[in-house]
Amino acid sequence: MSENAAFETAARLLRHRDRATADLDRRLAERGFDSDERAAALATLVRTGVLDDERFALERARSLAARGAGDALIRHDLATAGVEREHVQAALDELEPESERARRIVERRAGGPRTARYLAGKGFSEDVVRAAVAHANDDGIG
């Protein structure tokens, strides 16, 4: 194969959605490109701004938060994609606080054990779940 083929494949993989560098590298490796070909293609994409882990992390975090995800789920998703810890934290820092996101969900669903389980399953911290549900019920739980 060649560096040009690796670049073309990477560009095709980015055509419909943004990806983390590590994810794109893994996908190129799965397609049989060697490490030099992958590195050259990725370097070109980073240099031109097409591939940007910080942007990917922020946009992915915003998308997940808009769909009701808590910080733990977002952190896990970004780590699984291979995003470095500092980009993950920077993305989380840009989001509306987890407690506010949880409070909005509780307002839509009402408080109670089912909502608490729902929030926990969506990656909200135990403290945030407890506070949001307690606030909705106007009393503490747990």
Side-chain angles (χ1 to χ4, degrees), residues 48-68:
T48 58
V50 174
L51 189 59
D52 182 336
D53 280 357
E54 191 171 355
R55 179 186 67 229
F56 169 79
L58 181 57
E59 293 306 315
R60 181 71 179 152
R62 284 178 178 159
S63 173
L64 290 168
R67 291 185 289 172

Side-chain angles (χ1 to χ4, degrees), residues 8 24 44 65-67 69 74 77 84 89 94 97-98 104 110 126 130 135:
E8 289 174 11
L24 191 55
T44 300
R67 291 185 289 172
I74 294 168
D77 183 87
E84 292 186 23
Q89 191 56 53
E94 289 292 319
E98 185 181 43
R104 264 200 327 279
E126 187 177 320
R130 185 177 295 118
H135 183 269

Side-chain angles (χ1 to χ4, degrees), residues 56-134:
F56 169 79
L58 181 57
E59 293 306 315
R60 181 71 179 152
R62 284 178 178 159
S63 173
L64 290 168
R67 291 185 289 172
D71 287 356
L73 189 148
I74 294 168
R75 190 175 281 110
H76 174 75
D77 183 87
L78 293 174
T80 300
V83 177
E84 292 186 23
R85 199 172 287 155
E86 68 264 11
H87 295 317
V88 172
Q89 191 56 53
L92 288 170
D93 290 345
E94 289 292 319
L95 297 177
E96 175 182 37
E98 185 181 43
S99 58
E100 293 302 314
R101 289 181 275 143
R103 194 163 305 178
R104 264 200 327 279
I105 291 170
V106 169
E107 286 172 5
R108 281 196 319 266
R109 295 178 58 98
R114 290 184 77 190
T115 299
R117 284 191 301 274
Y118 175 83
L119 290 171
K122 291 292 243 170
F124 287 89
S125 74
E126 187 177 320
D127 291 340
V128 167
V129 171
R130 185 177 295 118
V133 173

Side-chain angles (χ1 to χ4, degrees), residues 23-37:
D23 179 46
L24 191 55
D25 185 49
R26 181 183 54 79
R27 290 172 185 273
L28 290 173
E30 289 171 354
R31 285 165 173 76
F33 293 102
D34 68 33
S35 61
D36 291 338
E37 293 166 335

